[in-house]
Amino acid sequence: MNPVLRRTAADLAAAIRSGELTSVEVTEAFLARIEAVDDQVHAFLAVDRDRALETARRVDAKRSAGQALGPLAGVPIAVKDLLSYEGLPTTAGSRILENYRPVYNATIVQRLIDNDLVILGKTNLDEFAMGSSTETSAFGPTHNPWDLERIPGGSGGGSSAALAAFEAPLAIGTDTGGSIRQPASVTGTVGVKPTYGGTSRYGVIAMASSLDQPGPCARTVEDAALLHEVICGHDPLDSTSIDQPVPPVVEAARRADVRGMRIGVVRELGGEGYAPGVEQRFREAVEVLREAGAEIVEVSCPHFVYALPTYYLIMPAEVSSNLARYDGMRYGLRSGDDGSASVEQVMNRTRGEGFGEEAKRRIILGTYALSSGYYDAYYGSAQKVRTLISRDFEAAFAQCEVLVSPATPTTAFKLGERIDDPLAMYMADLCTIPSNLAGNASASFPCGLAPEDGLPVGFQVMAPPMADDRLYRVGAALERALTARWGGPLLDRAPDLTRSVQALVDEEK
Amino acid sequence: MSLTPDDVARLAALARIELTPAELAKLAPQLDVILDSVASVTAVAQGDIPPTSHALPLVNVFRDDVVTGSLSPDQVLANAPDAEDGRFRVPRILDEEA
Amino acid sequence: MDDLLDLDQVIERFDPAIGLEVHVELNTASKMWCGCSTAPGADPNTQVCPVCLGLPGSLPVVNGKAVESVIRIGLALNCDVAEWCRFSRKNYFYPDMTKDYQISQYDEPICFDGSVDLEVDGRTYVIGIERVHMEEDAGKLVHGGATGRIHDADHSLVDYNRAGVPLMEIVTRPVPGLGAEAPAVARAYMAHLRELMRALGVSDARMEQGNLRCDANISLAPKGRTELGTRTETKNVNSLRSVEAAITYEMRRQGAILSSGARVKQETRHWHEEGYTSPGRSKEQAEDYRYFPEPDLVPVAPSREWVEALRATLPEPPAGRRARLQAEWRFTDLEMRDVLGTEGALELIDATVAAGASPASARKWWLGELARRANESGAALDDLAIGPRQVAELQSLVDAGTINDKLAREVIEAVLAGEGDPAAVVEARGLAVVDDDSALSAAVEEAIAANPDVAERIRAGRVQAAGALIGAVMKQMHGRADAAKVRELILARLG
Ligand SMILES: [Mg+2]
Ligand SMILES: [Zn+2]
């Protein structure tokens, strides 16, 4: 593997700034890697080769001209195909938007452009970000680079797999119920869901507006923090965007200091249904933090057990409304318009053909939860329980600075294993959902491989709203201690995909 | 709570989604299972609990009444499945106004 | 065609109750959620952006001016202002709605519990205001096909320029007990709202432009019963005359149905300018809008200080203002009724007086010559290409004796034709009356010489015969003379 691919984003940016590498060299390396391995991984839905190289050349020219470069200038990045990027199809992983090309940029995409990052392309996802395995994508699943038979998590499996396969050093994800953290967890990468309102949702195709939050995906904590600083901050185009300074995440990541920090282990997020290897690695990581000087306490959040059902009422309700606009009138797929069909028939046909199974399931569930006579029992009740979950967080954060848990109950499961069992699929987000409901900051950091299957385990850290820097303090401290223990990054132990291809070729012979 | 394929068909009509009989037959029991699993929410939501619609307590976010410009006509219609005379062309509408 | 009962008999047997839902398009510069212009008359789809086009990923941001406008209207309607309220999504599919939901308000309107006092024919009626809420307008459909009507169109074309224009909905409580006055009170209510919107400066309130749109709920209850009867909702009632006519029609139609022993069907009906209502397509089930709080917008929580600051900007209430102006202008009740009966006249006269004209002259021009010309061209009075400042200037030219009434009409003609302000027109066309005594005297001499018999009669003391000579002089001078002065000269010469 080209050694450039394994370098961190911070390191690549420094190399570009110093002239050791050009952005074109770096970009070409990642484009070549995509070329070499993406037919196995299928992390990308679109690769924007020409524009990426053009951006890289522009950054190099800037440097040659002596202009100052930003902290991630010239570094390639992959963007989840849920963010509008002018000139490239933005499909949300759905047939219904197969040929849709945005005429405007999402605020985050614009910030990447303004900060001279090199957008490599768009990554695969579950349809409209609805899933935990990337299998509901209309364009085929993404494969986990640790084991190509397994899911890379979802919905942001394309972004997490691109990082784990060294197809990109950075990526953008979005997290509605865990779609940044759960994929990070099962691919041994870092994924951060900022405080709700910390990153702009403008231009990000909505799944469930009150829960959606875009965030940084990376291979190291510092890289995630650098990207966090680039993409976060107030956006007047998003009414729910918080008009406050971005918490000092980069500084927190560099300090990596948890001495004296009170860390609460959430009693309700563990035990039955959790894989032994997940629990083991999680407990070991908690010990690592204790050794690093943190004070560990156990806290109870009694309503977290209702988080999953609450989520499965609120999320589909918002989905049913957010996905109404895909009706074949203004953009996207239009089916059944034979000149005699009515507008209603064409909308029905378009949506029947354009949406996949999971999208339909959630739209219908949400329509039901909001329908007259059922609102109070379903959506109304869920909103009340949402309050109870937020109160649990408030009470817990009164006792400790961050909360921790496994990021997901199991390691990556096999492709196809849960696709016909929605409830089993939904369980993957058991630990991540509470933070979406409450809107607080949350992240997943690699904490080892489960002994039973050798697959990555994620360590979730949750912090109060606008205390995103605490995630990075904990994540960086953990990363420092564990990398030392492992003798290198966890991802060094992932299989080399090019070699496995070579192995296949050899076997053929 | 139990949803029949007819209930699902009614919801699908409300949601403007054409479903095949096979889809209806598959969806109804799946939705039933999901609804069973969320029933606990109704039980715990008893009493005087204020509902949360927004994760964070922001209020009064307004923009100034300033014209900031629009898309070009080409951009507006760039993705239109059908257009005519600068307008989106849509199939015939069976309106209330008969 | 429907059976209709005579209105007299309807009133004899039933008590009508009316309720009005009025949509008002606000006159903000930009739309409700985005920075697109709201200016009317633009080419189709030239005032749309990702937000009002509902493009994937776009998000709304509330126009603060629109919120202020709605609060001011609410205060002017004596409403309470919510301390905290949210927007809601009203979910339904229709191709003029880019998101397939309308952002509106549901159970938490920003203003509620108001009332309006209306005076109709000397009686005062109190209309209860249930709520005033904020929402957005939809795009415009043009129906393709032979007739351009929706039911035989084989396709439609959509222009989204109007999509997302701020709308406000004002809903009254059901008003019972109006009897035969129900249609007139409804009309007076609409006229009141229109006047109020203009006084507040929050809407152009032109009904013919659709700035002000009314849906009328009407029901009849057998005389003496307190519970309301089954109501119909008549849509598309978009002029003062139509409000009155549609309510009258529905009362008579429902009266005929109930008198025959049948039941009124609860339904939506459409008003046709030809003078009747027709039923909407009956649906198998009631529309289920699945309202829920709009997650993309944060709540609106007007502070007490903000509300009080807005209250301080309220103009004088229309009724009080009318009474004040009538007193200031010394108009008789009859004169004032004429003023109020002509759309826009009150404002125009007020502005003309403010520009320096006397109230009587301002009234004379606006209700006389200018009303006639507006009528001829089918335009509204305030659509004429002449404004209060120009009318005041015209009158000052008359007062100064520069022009006379006849010339003034010519000046108006020229101003309307775009030739400029009155003084400029007088200058350019050389219309000023001739003040030159020698020229006038010459004309008088000429007239006397040409009419010796008339001159003789005047000399004999028949002063009223001077009219014929004055006419001759004015003709000679092409109207550019002061008739009083001509008369003076003639009498001096022959006296
Ligand atoms: Mg409305
Ligand atoms: Zn717009």
PDB file of all heavy atoms in Angstrom, chain A residues 95-113:
ATOM      1  N   ARG A  95     -33.422   5.239  -5.653  1.00  0.00           N
ATOM      2  CA  ARG A  95     -33.842   5.269  -7.050  1.00  0.00           C
ATOM      3  C   ARG A  95     -34.546   6.576  -7.399  1.00  0.00           C
ATOM      4  O   ARG A  95     -34.456   7.091  -8.503  1.00  0.00           O
ATOM      5  CB  ARG A  95     -34.877   4.189  -7.295  1.00  0.00           C
ATOM      6  CG  ARG A  95     -34.519   2.870  -7.868  1.00  0.00           C
ATOM      7  CD  ARG A  95     -33.699   2.761  -9.081  1.00  0.00           C
ATOM      8  NE  ARG A  95     -33.000   1.476  -8.985  1.00  0.00           N
ATOM      9  CZ  ARG A  95     -31.739   1.291  -9.268  1.00  0.00           C
ATOM     10  NH1 ARG A  95     -31.003   2.253  -9.761  1.00  0.00           N
ATOM     11  NH2 ARG A  95     -31.183   0.113  -9.107  1.00  0.00           N
ATOM     12  N   ILE A  96     -35.284   7.072  -6.403  1.00  0.00           N
ATOM     13  CA  ILE A  96     -36.156   8.211  -6.678  1.00  0.00           C
ATOM     14  C   ILE A  96     -35.344   9.470  -6.991  1.00  0.00           C
ATOM     15  O   ILE A  96     -35.848  10.402  -7.611  1.00  0.00           O
ATOM     16  CB  ILE A  96     -37.155   8.418  -5.515  1.00  0.00           C
ATOM     17  CG1 ILE A  96     -38.484   8.972  -6.046  1.00  0.00           C
ATOM     18  CG2 ILE A  96     -36.602   9.326  -4.426  1.00  0.00           C
ATOM     19  CD1 ILE A  96     -39.660   8.767  -5.134  1.00  0.00           C
ATOM     20  N   LEU A  97     -34.054   9.463  -6.591  1.00  0.00           N
ATOM     21  CA  LEU A  97     -33.192  10.613  -6.893  1.00  0.00           C
ATOM     22  C   LEU A  97     -32.019  10.214  -7.786  1.00  0.00           C
ATOM     23  O   LEU A  97     -31.013  10.917  -7.838  1.00  0.00           O
ATOM     24  CB  LEU A  97     -32.667  11.233  -5.591  1.00  0.00           C
ATOM     25  CG  LEU A  97     -33.665  12.086  -4.807  1.00  0.00           C
ATOM     26  CD1 LEU A  97     -33.039  12.586  -3.508  1.00  0.00           C
ATOM     27  CD2 LEU A  97     -34.133  13.270  -5.641  1.00  0.00           C
ATOM     28  N   GLU A  98     -32.195   9.113  -8.506  1.00  0.00           N
ATOM     29  CA  GLU A  98     -31.060   8.560  -9.245  1.00  0.00           C
ATOM     30  C   GLU A  98     -30.375   9.588 -10.143  1.00  0.00           C
ATOM     31  O   GLU A  98     -29.161   9.643 -10.225  1.00  0.00           O
ATOM     32  CB  GLU A  98     -31.507   7.345 -10.072  1.00  0.00           C
ATOM     33  CG  GLU A  98     -30.334   6.619 -10.684  1.00  0.00           C
ATOM     34  CD  GLU A  98     -30.713   5.227 -11.181  1.00  0.00           C
ATOM     35  OE1 GLU A  98     -31.907   4.876 -11.102  1.00  0.00           O
ATOM     36  OE2 GLU A  98     -29.808   4.503 -11.629  1.00  0.00           O
ATOM     37  N   ASN A  99     -31.155  10.398 -10.813  1.00  0.00           N
ATOM     38  CA  ASN A  99     -30.546  11.339 -11.761  1.00  0.00           C
ATOM     39  C   ASN A  99     -30.584  12.788 -11.295  1.00  0.00           C
ATOM     40  O   ASN A  99     -30.393  13.704 -12.076  1.00  0.00           O
ATOM     41  CB  ASN A  99     -31.244  11.229 -13.112  1.00  0.00           C
ATOM     42  CG  ASN A  99     -31.024   9.855 -13.709  1.00  0.00           C
ATOM     43  OD1 ASN A  99     -29.889   9.384 -13.797  1.00  0.00           O
ATOM     44  ND2 ASN A  99     -32.113   9.169 -14.056  1.00  0.00           N
ATOM     45  N   TYR A 100     -30.825  12.960 -10.017  1.00  0.00           N
ATOM     46  CA  TYR A 100     -30.928  14.320  -9.492  1.00  0.00           C
ATOM     47  C   TYR A 100     -29.550  14.939  -9.287  1.00  0.00           C
ATOM     48  O   TYR A 100     -28.680  14.345  -8.663  1.00  0.00           O
ATOM     49  CB  TYR A 100     -31.711  14.295  -8.174  1.00  0.00           C
ATOM     50  CG  TYR A 100     -31.651  15.580  -7.395  1.00  0.00           C
ATOM     51  CD1 TYR A 100     -32.307  16.716  -7.850  1.00  0.00           C
ATOM     52  CD2 TYR A 100     -30.914  15.670  -6.219  1.00  0.00           C
ATOM     53  CE1 TYR A 100     -32.247  17.907  -7.150  1.00  0.00           C
ATOM     54  CE2 TYR A 100     -30.848  16.853  -5.501  1.00  0.00           C
ATOM     55  CZ  TYR A 100     -31.508  17.963  -5.975  1.00  0.00           C
ATOM     56  OH  TYR A 100     -31.433  19.141  -5.281  1.00  0.00           O
ATOM     57  N   ARG A 101     -29.364  16.128  -9.832  1.00  0.00           N
ATOM     58  CA  ARG A 101     -28.118  16.868  -9.624  1.00  0.00           C
ATOM     59  C   ARG A 101     -28.435  18.204  -8.965  1.00  0.00           C
ATOM     60  O   ARG A 101     -29.098  19.044  -9.556  1.00  0.00           O
ATOM     61  CB  ARG A 101     -27.412  17.152 -10.954  1.00  0.00           C
ATOM     62  CG  ARG A 101     -26.675  15.959 -11.500  1.00  0.00           C
ATOM     63  CD  ARG A 101     -26.245  16.197 -12.937  1.00  0.00           C
ATOM     64  NE  ARG A 101     -25.753  14.951 -13.499  1.00  0.00           N
ATOM     65  CZ  ARG A 101     -24.465  14.612 -13.524  1.00  0.00           C
ATOM     66  NH1 ARG A 101     -23.552  15.444 -13.056  1.00  0.00           N
ATOM     67  NH2 ARG A 101     -24.095  13.452 -14.032  1.00  0.00           N
ATOM     68  N   PRO A 102     -27.944  18.407  -7.739  1.00  0.00           N
ATOM     69  CA  PRO A 102     -28.267  19.645  -7.023  1.00  0.00           C
ATOM     70  C   PRO A 102     -27.760  20.878  -7.782  1.00  0.00           C
ATOM     71  O   PRO A 102     -26.743  20.807  -8.481  1.00  0.00           O
ATOM     72  CB  PRO A 102     -27.518  19.510  -5.700  1.00  0.00           C
ATOM     73  CG  PRO A 102     -27.214  18.070  -5.562  1.00  0.00           C
ATOM     74  CD  PRO A 102     -27.091  17.514  -6.941  1.00  0.00           C
ATOM     75  N   VAL A 103     -28.492  21.968  -7.611  1.00  0.00           N
ATOM     76  CA  VAL A 103     -28.049  23.231  -8.203  1.00  0.00           C
ATOM     77  C   VAL A 103     -27.488  24.149  -7.121  1.00  0.00           C
ATOM     78  O   VAL A 103     -27.286  25.334  -7.339  1.00  0.00           O
ATOM     79  CB  VAL A 103     -29.209  23.935  -8.941  1.00  0.00           C
ATOM     80  CG1 VAL A 103     -29.607  23.149 -10.178  1.00  0.00           C
ATOM     81  CG2 VAL A 103     -30.416  24.128  -8.024  1.00  0.00           C
ATOM     82  N   TYR A 104     -27.237  23.582  -5.954  1.00  0.00           N
ATOM     83  CA  TYR A 104     -26.636  24.382  -4.872  1.00  0.00           C
ATOM     84  C   TYR A 104     -25.841  23.449  -3.971  1.00  0.00           C
ATOM     85  O   TYR A 104     -26.016  22.231  -4.014  1.00  0.00           O
ATOM     86  CB  TYR A 104     -27.726  25.120  -4.081  1.00  0.00           C
ATOM     87  CG  TYR A 104     -28.501  24.248  -3.113  1.00  0.00           C
ATOM     88  CD1 TYR A 104     -28.301  24.352  -1.739  1.00  0.00           C
ATOM     89  CD2 TYR A 104     -29.414  23.307  -3.576  1.00  0.00           C
ATOM     90  CE1 TYR A 104     -29.005  23.544  -0.856  1.00  0.00           C
ATOM     91  CE2 TYR A 104     -30.116  22.504  -2.699  1.00  0.00           C
ATOM     92  CZ  TYR A 104     -29.901  22.621  -1.334  1.00  0.00           C
ATOM     93  OH  TYR A 104     -30.586  21.819  -0.465  1.00  0.00           O
ATOM     94  N   ASN A 105     -24.951  24.053  -3.165  1.00  0.00           N
ATOM     95  CA  ASN A 105     -24.121  23.268  -2.258  1.00  0.00           C
ATOM     96  C   ASN A 105     -24.667  23.304  -0.840  1.00  0.00           C
ATOM     97  O   ASN A 105     -25.102  24.354  -0.360  1.00  0.00           O
ATOM     98  CB  ASN A 105     -22.701  23.831  -2.215  1.00  0.00           C
ATOM     99  CG  ASN A 105     -21.915  23.482  -3.473  1.00  0.00           C
ATOM    100  OD1 ASN A 105     -22.151  22.440  -4.077  1.00  0.00           O
ATOM    101  ND2 ASN A 105     -21.002  24.348  -3.850  1.00  0.00           N
ATOM    102  N   ALA A 106     -24.593  22.161  -0.173  1.00  0.00           N
ATOM    103  CA  ALA A 106     -24.856  22.149   1.269  1.00  0.00           C
ATOM    104  C   ALA A 106     -23.834  23.067   1.929  1.00  0.00           C
ATOM    105  O   ALA A 106     -22.706  23.222   1.443  1.00  0.00           O
ATOM    106  CB  ALA A 106     -24.719  20.729   1.806  1.00  0.00           C
ATOM    107  N   THR A 107     -24.235  23.665   3.049  1.00  0.00           N
ATOM    108  CA  THR A 107     -23.308  24.567   3.762  1.00  0.00           C
ATOM    109  C   THR A 107     -22.004  23.849   4.097  1.00  0.00           C
ATOM    110  O   THR A 107     -20.910  24.407   3.932  1.00  0.00           O
ATOM    111  CB  THR A 107     -23.979  25.093   5.046  1.00  0.00           C
ATOM    112  OG1 THR A 107     -25.104  25.890   4.659  1.00  0.00           O
ATOM    113  CG2 THR A 107     -23.012  25.932   5.871  1.00  0.00           C
ATOM    114  N   ILE A 108     -22.099  22.604   4.546  1.00  0.00           N
ATOM    115  CA  ILE A 108     -20.872  21.863   4.889  1.00  0.00           C
ATOM    116  C   ILE A 108     -19.995  21.681   3.656  1.00  0.00           C
ATOM    117  O   ILE A 108     -18.776  21.867   3.716  1.00  0.00           O
ATOM    118  CB  ILE A 108     -21.230  20.492   5.492  1.00  0.00           C
ATOM    119  CG1 ILE A 108     -21.827  20.686   6.884  1.00  0.00           C
ATOM    120  CG2 ILE A 108     -20.006  19.590   5.554  1.00  0.00           C
ATOM    121  CD1 ILE A 108     -22.176  19.384   7.570  1.00  0.00           C
ATOM    122  N   VAL A 109     -20.606  21.329   2.552  1.00  0.00           N
ATOM    123  CA  VAL A 109     -19.823  21.146   1.321  1.00  0.00           C
ATOM    124  C   VAL A 109     -19.135  22.469   0.965  1.00  0.00           C
ATOM    125  O   VAL A 109     -17.952  22.500   0.611  1.00  0.00           O
ATOM    126  CB  VAL A 109     -20.738  20.679   0.169  1.00  0.00           C
ATOM    127  CG1 VAL A 109     -20.025  20.777  -1.174  1.00  0.00           C
ATOM    128  CG2 VAL A 109     -21.217  19.255   0.431  1.00  0.00           C
ATOM    129  N   GLN A 110     -19.885  23.558   1.105  1.00  0.00           N
ATOM    130  CA  GLN A 110     -19.302  24.861   0.789  1.00  0.00           C
ATOM    131  C   GLN A 110     -18.112  25.157   1.703  1.00  0.00           C
ATOM    132  O   GLN A 110     -17.105  25.697   1.276  1.00  0.00           O
ATOM    133  CB  GLN A 110     -20.380  25.950   0.927  1.00  0.00           C
ATOM    134  CG  GLN A 110     -19.978  27.279   0.299  1.00  0.00           C
ATOM    135  CD  GLN A 110     -19.636  27.132  -1.178  1.00  0.00           C
ATOM    136  OE1 GLN A 110     -20.394  26.544  -1.949  1.00  0.00           O
ATOM    137  NE2 GLN A 110     -18.470  27.625  -1.567  1.00  0.00           N
ATOM    138  N   ARG A 111     -18.236  24.761   2.968  1.00  0.00           N
ATOM    139  CA  ARG A 111     -17.121  25.003   3.894  1.00  0.00           C
ATOM    140  C   ARG A 111     -15.904  24.154   3.530  1.00  0.00           C
ATOM    141  O   ARG A 111     -14.754  24.598   3.661  1.00  0.00           O
ATOM    142  CB  ARG A 111     -17.552  24.722   5.334  1.00  0.00           C
ATOM    143  CG  ARG A 111     -18.510  25.790   5.802  1.00  0.00           C
ATOM    144  CD  ARG A 111     -18.728  25.787   7.295  1.00  0.00           C
ATOM    145  NE  ARG A 111     -19.720  26.809   7.602  1.00  0.00           N
ATOM    146  CZ  ARG A 111     -20.250  27.015   8.794  1.00  0.00           C
ATOM    147  NH1 ARG A 111     -19.872  26.283   9.810  1.00  0.00           N
ATOM    148  NH2 ARG A 111     -21.146  27.963   8.965  1.00  0.00           N
ATOM    149  N   LEU A 112     -16.153  22.936   3.070  1.00  0.00           N
ATOM    150  CA  LEU A 112     -15.035  22.092   2.623  1.00  0.00           C
ATOM    151  C   LEU A 112     -14.334  22.779   1.451  1.00  0.00           C
ATOM    152  O   LEU A 112     -13.108  22.860   1.404  1.00  0.00           O
ATOM    153  CB  LEU A 112     -15.537  20.707   2.198  1.00  0.00           C
ATOM    154  CG  LEU A 112     -16.197  19.848   3.286  1.00  0.00           C
ATOM    155  CD1 LEU A 112     -16.667  18.520   2.689  1.00  0.00           C
ATOM    156  CD2 LEU A 112     -15.236  19.606   4.450  1.00  0.00           C
ATOM    157  N   ILE A 113     -15.153  23.280   0.527  1.00  0.00           N
ATOM    158  CA  ILE A 113     -14.581  23.947  -0.647  1.00  0.00           C
ATOM    159  C   ILE A 113     -13.811  25.198  -0.204  1.00  0.00           C
ATOM    160  O   ILE A 113     -12.665  25.416  -0.613  1.00  0.00           O
ATOM    161  CB  ILE A 113     -15.703  24.308  -1.645  1.00  0.00           C
ATOM    162  CG1 ILE A 113     -16.342  23.032  -2.217  1.00  0.00           C
ATOM    163  CG2 ILE A 113     -15.174  25.217  -2.762  1.00  0.00           C
ATOM    164  CD1 ILE A 113     -17.632  23.271  -3.003  1.00  0.00           C
TER     165      ILE A 113
END
